[in-house]
Amino acid sequence: MKFRLNYNLLNTATETLIKFVKILLKDCGNLNYEPNSLYKAIKSLGLVDQFTSFAACQKCHKLYNRDNVTNIQRQTVMKCSHIEFPNSSTKRFKKCEAPLAKQIPLNNGISFKPELVYPVASIQQQLHSMFQQPGFEESLRHWSNCPIINNVLSDIYDGQIWRNLKSEQEDNFFRPDKADTNLGLMINLDWFQPYERTFNSTRVLYATICNLPRNVRFLPKNMLILGILPGPNEVSLHRINHYLLPIITELESLWKGMALNRTHEHPNGKVIRAALIIASCDIPAA
């Protein structure tokens, strides 16, 4: 699995590697080698999928509960019921009606496979894991010791948003005594090719924690994966709102406050909050 991670192996390549190791160990006298498939390897190593998957409409990109779309008791493919412009005076009120799944024939019946799948990762679970790391909370406090030079924008901390954003209690949200509990998150959307020699691009929504020093802010271990947009085509600007909806819902709960049962520095836990900071082209918010 480490080899798979280092070299971005496809599922088929990993399956072949596992089967090769099985044959090799069998010839060496080990007849009970397990696992013998990628599925069993992931299960035996306890690599639990932390994503919540939605079924997305391939036409309008409206999100649906995946279990509802793949329910075999339905007997027919579920269609999208979304009306894209319900309040428009110029457009017709017409349901999308695009099929949300395809039928897969099986030996004992049929199954339904979503046309598009949208995995969303829990921000709260990721933050809980980050706060267990030694030194993470200390890094969050880094910005409170940064010198302030008038009229010089060297980082997001020098911008008016960071200095003046108010909490619900009308005090400053970002202040030294809350440096490791009140987080500023900046959302980004990037396209990349997950494998060489392929023309398909993957779109990932992720967030960076602005409290962290700039030299570690964009390290993979310090970034929050929000969602992986389905391809192969780019989503139009207004339709991407469907993919943002479950993320915004979680961000709203983080603004109100989330209790961590324990952190590396606080075994008894503490409450953290987060605000969404909008910055353009990675320059300080002004």
Side-chain angles (χ1 to χ4, degrees), residues 250-269:
E250 190 170 14
L251 286 173
E252 287 178 340
S253 66
L254 278 170
W255 169 253
K256 296 175 182 177
M258 180 187 82
L260 298 175
N261 54 16
R262 65 179 300 271
T263 72
H264 183 75
E265 293 185 1
H266 296 82
N268 296 325

Side-chain angles (χ1 to χ4, degrees), residues 141 143-144 174-180:
R141 296 190 291 269
W143 70 267
S144 62
F174 299 111
R175 57 184 194 270
D177 62 309
K178 297 288 184 180
D180 57 2

Side-chain angles (χ1 to χ4, degrees), residues 72-119:
I72 59 174
Q73 296 179 355
R74 183 181 299 277
Q75 297 299 320
T76 58
V77 172
M78 183 177 173
K79 293 184 178 181
C80 180
S81 59
H82 180 61
I83 300 175
E84 193 160 25
F85 302 102
N87 301 319
S88 174
S89 59
T90 59
K91 297 181 181 291
R92 296 177 58 190
F93 304 119
K94 186 178 179 180
K95 292 183 179 180
C96 176
E97 293 291 342
L100 298 174
K102 61 181 71 173
Q103 285 189 351
I104 306 296
L106 302 175
N107 293 333
N108 57 348
I110 61 171
S111 67
F112 296 105
K113 181 181 179 181
E115 291 283 356
L116 295 180
V117 175
Y118 174 51

Side-chain angles (χ1 to χ4, degrees), residues 139-194:
S139 295
L140 292 176
R141 296 190 291 269
H142 154 83
W143 70 267
S144 62
N145 298 319
C146 293
I148 298 177
I149 304 175
N150 291 333
N151 301 320
V152 175
L153 300 178
S154 61
D155 206 334
I156 195 170
Y157 318 129
D158 300 320
Q160 294 299 318
I161 297 294
W162 193 272
R163 293 186 184 184
N164 300 325
L165 179 67
K166 301 298 182 182
S167 68
E168 292 178 334
Q169 289 73 35
E170 294 301 322
D171 52 0
N172 283 353
F173 186 79
F174 299 111
R175 57 184 194 270
D177 62 309
K178 297 288 184 180
D180 57 2
T181 59
N182 289 8
L183 309 180
L185 304 181
M186 182 171 62
I187 291 183
N188 297 277
L189 172 62
D190 275 344
W191 285 258
F192 70 96
Q193 291 179 297

Side-chain angles (χ1 to χ4, degrees), residues 2-97:
K2 184 68 174 177
F3 190 82
R4 166 187 169 85
L5 179 65
N6 288 345
Y7 295 99
N8 288 332
L9 292 187
L10 296 167
N11 288 357
T12 52
T14 309
E15 289 275 2
T16 302
L17 178 62
I18 290 174
K19 292 176 181 177
F20 169 74
V21 173
K22 181 178 177 66
I23 294 173
L24 184 65
L25 292 180
K26 183 178 180 181
D27 288 345
C28 294
N30 187 338
L31 302 179
N32 298 316
Y33 172 68
E34 290 289 346
N36 57 9
S37 68
L38 178 59
Y39 170 77
K40 291 184 178 179
I42 292 174
K43 187 174 181 180
S44 64
L45 290 173
L47 302 178
V48 181
D49 187 355
Q50 298 293 333
F51 287 87
T52 299
S53 293
F54 293 89
C57 175
Q58 58 186 325
K59 183 179 179 181
C60 71
H61 296 276
K62 173 70 174 177
L63 300 184
Y64 291 86
N65 185 301
R66 183 172 180 173
D67 291 338
N68 293 340
V69 173
T70 57
N71 187 354
I72 59 174
Q73 296 179 355
R74 183 181 299 277
Q75 297 299 320
T76 58
V77 172
M78 183 177 173
K79 293 184 178 181
C80 180
S81 59
H82 180 61
I83 300 175
E84 193 160 25
F85 302 102
N87 301 319
S88 174
S89 59
T90 59
K91 297 181 181 291
R92 296 177 58 190
F93 304 119
K94 186 178 179 180
K95 292 183 179 180
C96 176
E97 293 291 342

